[in-house]
């Protein structure tokens, strides 16, 4: 986190927040050079890996107002140079901070992460769809009815309370697969139960799915269109040929009911590509930062209280190739006292420490042997 970063004129910033309990958030800025993206990632038609990016900034913030984000981005810029592109979602504070930063550096391209953009499209479309909302409710009730029965293996996937539109296909694929499964297969999976009893239970618990068959095909086609764009942009990046390439691969999904939704996807691609002035290729997704957050949360889950602390430093470690030389230099230059000093300065007394101070009973009846 403290070592000197390379000063370049082709950095791509990948920016997002992670949070735990408490009011603090961590602003994380990852960087990948456009040169590395083109030569080592896009040319091989692969997504970014943890080792492709470098941690350029990690700031603990009590306020996430746009002006504060602007201040932190300018601090990082002084150390590493002005980026050619910033990739992030469009959460209100983050978007405002980046747009303020763009006012100081108007040449920067600000790209709306394709994964979040497609999830938002699905959200706006399906939130307003009464049929889809009733389907969700019936899936939830179906799961409750099946979970303590011999048909529990047929239960719909659990629904996430947040970010559910990132995984719409989990439910639609489950329903379509079940509707297309032969009854004989289900009977074979429950050999100890009488066939007529199995059939009556399946009809009782799952017959409602047939009412949604046409809707499910339509929803699945919508998801397929968004996933195709995501796959294309994550493998090939964002360039002046992106829209043309995507349009050429949509013929099998074109129908009247999907035209408006398809046009919204085209509008997203057109808007993002309009910022590209030449034949260069840029990054289209911030998935890599979400992946690092997921890895960090695997470590932080071991803590008694989910609060930010020293485990946040695992984000730095996850982007590094930990060679013998790197580890040796780290041990020689950073002491545990340095880490403790940083923790005290940034976080102060931890919540766990405060709870121990308040709730632990001190019994002074110990005698030295």
């Amino acid at each position: 986190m403290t070592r000197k970063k390379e000063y370049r004129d082709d950095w791509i910033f990948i920016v997002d927040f992670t949070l735990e309990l408490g009011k603090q958030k961590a602003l994380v800025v990852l960087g990948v050079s456009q040169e590395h993206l083109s030569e080592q990632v896009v040319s091989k038609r692969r997504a970014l890996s943890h080792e492709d990016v470098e941690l350029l900034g990690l700031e603990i913030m009590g306020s996430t107002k746009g002006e504060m984000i602007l201040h932190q981005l300018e601090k990082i810029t002084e150390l590493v140079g002005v980026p050619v592109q910033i990739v992030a979602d469009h959460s209100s504070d983050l978007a405002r901070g980046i747009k303020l930063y763009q006012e100081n550096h108007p040449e920067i391209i600000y790209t709306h992460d394709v994964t979040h953009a497609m999830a938002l499209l699905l959200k706006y479309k399906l939130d307003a769809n009464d049929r889809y909302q009733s389907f969700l409710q019936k899936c939830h009730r179906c799961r409750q009815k099946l979970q303590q029965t011999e048909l529990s293996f047929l239960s719909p996937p659990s629904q996430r309370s947040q970010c559910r539109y990132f995984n719409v296909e989990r439910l639609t694929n489950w329903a379509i697969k079940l509707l297309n499964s032969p009854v004989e297969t289900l009977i074979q999976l429950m050999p100890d139960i009488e066939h007529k009893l199995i059939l009556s239970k399946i009809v009782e618990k799952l017959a409602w799915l047939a009412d949604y068959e046409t809707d499910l095909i339509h929803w699945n086609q919508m998801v397929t269109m968004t996933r195709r764009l995501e796959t294309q942009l994550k493998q090939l990046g964002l360039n002046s040929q992106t829209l043309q390439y995507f349009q050429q691969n949509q013929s099998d999904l074109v129908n009247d009911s999907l035209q408006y939704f398809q046009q919204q996807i085209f509008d997203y691609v057109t808007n993002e590509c309009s910022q590209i002035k030449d034949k260069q290729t840029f990054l289209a997704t911030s998935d890599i930062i979400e992946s690092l957050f997921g890895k960090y949360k695997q470590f932080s889950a071991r803590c008694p209280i989910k609060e930010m602390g020293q485990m946040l430093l695992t984000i730095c470690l996850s982007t590094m190739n930990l060679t013998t030389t790197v580890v040796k230099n780290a041990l020689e230059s950073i002491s545990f006292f340095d880490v403790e000093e940083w923790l005290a300065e940034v976080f102060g007394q931890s919540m766990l420490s405060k709870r121990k101070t308040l709730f632990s009973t001190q019994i002074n009846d110990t005698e030295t042997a």
Side-chain angles (χ1 to χ4, degrees):
M1 190 174 74
T2 59
R3 68 179 180 164
K4 186 175 176 62
K5 309 298 189 297
E6 186 178 4
Y7 197 96
R8 303 181 64 101
D9 60 4
D10 68 340
W11 278 118
I12 295 172
F13 286 2
I14 308 161
V15 187
D16 205 353
F17 283 108
T18 187
L19 67 158
E20 297 284 5
L21 293 178
K23 67 175 185 177
Q24 291 179 318
K25 292 185 179 180
L27 176 68
V28 179
V29 180
L30 301 177
V32 59
S33 69
Q34 190 177 29
E35 179 185 5
H36 182 85
L37 178 71
S38 299
E39 296 179 0
Q40 302 297 326
V41 180
V42 174
S43 64
K44 298 177 181 178
R45 298 177 67 96
R46 67 176 179 87
L48 283 175
S49 67
H50 293 172
E51 292 75 20
D52 289 316
V53 297
E54 183 174 350
L55 185 81
L56 300 180
L58 175 62
E59 298 291 340
I60 312 303
M61 303 173 66
S63 169
T64 59
K65 291 181 179 178
E67 291 75 11
M68 299 297 294
I69 294 168
L70 167 64
H71 175 68
Q72 298 299 340
L73 290 175
E74 290 290 6
K75 275 177 57 179
I76 295 167
T77 299
E78 290 178 9
L79 298 174
V80 303
V82 178
V84 293
Q85 182 192 22
I86 295 179
V87 184
D89 61 37
H90 273 192
S91 58
S92 56
D93 285 350
L94 193 56
R96 172 169 165 73
I98 294 172
K99 286 175 181 176
L100 289 172
Y101 182 66
Q102 268 187 308
E103 291 177 9
N104 297 341
H105 310 281
E107 71 279 9
I108 294 173
I109 295 172
Y110 174 23
T111 300
H112 186 189
D113 163 52
V114 65
T115 306
H116 283 86
M118 293 302 101
L120 278 176
L121 275 184
L122 290 170
K123 180 181 187 323
Y124 293 148
K125 189 74 174 177
L126 297 177
D127 264 355
N129 188 314
D130 292 338
R131 290 283 293 172
Y132 185 75
Q133 295 306 314
S134 71
F135 171 70
L136 289 182
Q137 293 171 5
K138 289 184 178 179
C139 282
H140 179 68
R141 288 198 292 269
C142 177
R143 183 175 174 81
Q144 290 179 322
K145 290 179 180 178
L146 292 180
Q147 61 187 1
Q148 298 298 328
T149 73
E150 60 272 24
L151 300 180
S152 61
F153 69 97
L154 298 177
S155 297
S158 59
Q159 299 174 41
R160 300 175 64 176
S161 58
Q162 296 180 332
C163 305
R164 65 173 58 177
Y165 292 100
F166 287 85
N167 299 282
V168 172
E169 64 268 40
R170 291 185 69 215
L171 280 178
T172 57
N173 287 347
W174 163 81
I176 291 171
K177 183 70 175 177
L178 203 53
L179 285 170
N180 293 330
S181 296
V183 175
E184 293 77 14
T185 301
L186 299 177
I187 291 174
Q188 289 173 6
L189 292 172
M190 293 177 280
D192 299 331
I193 304 175
E194 186 182 343
H195 293 182
K196 289 184 179 179
L197 185 58
I198 293 174
L199 291 174
S200 65
K201 287 193 175 186
I202 290 174
V203 170
E204 178 191 352
K205 306 291 186 184
L206 296 166
W208 62 271
L209 277 175
D211 296 334
Y212 291 91
E213 187 168 8
T214 303
D215 298 294
L216 285 164
I217 294 171
H218 178 75
W219 299 332
N220 205 52
Q221 288 175 328
M222 288 170 58
V223 173
T224 299
M225 291 172 67
T226 64
R227 297 297 180 257
R228 282 184 183 178
L229 179 65
E230 289 176 31
T231 300
Q232 176 188 325
L233 294 189
K234 290 170 186 181
Q235 291 181 351
L236 302 178
L238 194 66
N239 56 50
S240 57
Q241 302 300 312
T242 296
L243 181 59
Q244 181 182 351
Y245 186 89
F246 180 66
Q247 288 173 326
Q248 292 172 352
N249 292 279
Q250 293 302 302
S251 57
D252 61 322
L253 291 175
V254 175
N255 60 60
D256 293 339
S257 64
L258 285 170
Q259 281 187 350
Y260 179 67
F261 185 75
Q262 185 184 59
Q263 186 58 49
Q264 288 180 298
I265 296 178
F266 290 167
D267 290 344
Y268 162 79
V269 177
T270 302
N271 181 63
E272 299 304 328
C273 290
S274 67
Q275 303 177 73
I276 301 174
K277 307 303 182 186
D278 51 34
K279 295 183 179 181
Q280 290 181 304
T281 296
F282 291 89
L283 188 64
T285 178
S286 60
D287 279 4
I288 190 66
I289 205 167
E290 301 291 348
S291 175
L292 283 170
F293 287 166
K295 195 168 184 179
Y296 152 66
K297 287 177 180 177
Q298 286 183 330
F299 288 103
S300 67
R302 305 173 189 177
C303 301
I305 295 180
K306 289 187 177 181
E307 62 175 327
M308 285 188 189
Q310 62 189 15
M311 284 297 179
L312 204 58
L313 298 176
T314 58
I315 292 176
C316 315
L317 288 177
S318 298
T319 64
M320 297 179 65
N321 179 18
L322 294 176
T323 63
T324 304
T325 303
V326 169
V327 174
K328 181 176 182 293
N329 291 340
L331 292 173
E332 289 175 347
S333 59
I334 301 292
S335 68
F336 186 65
F337 176 77
D338 295 325
V339 178
E340 288 185 314
E341 195 173 50
W342 177 77
L343 287 170
E345 178 185 345
V346 174
F347 299 105
Q349 187 178 10
S350 70
M351 282 194 282
L352 182 59
S353 174
K354 290 177 181 179
R355 285 186 65 85
K356 285 181 177 179
T357 301
L358 183 61
F359 296 112
S360 294
T361 303
Q362 294 191 2
I363 303 174
N364 297 318
D365 61 351
T366 306
E367 295 182 2
T368 303

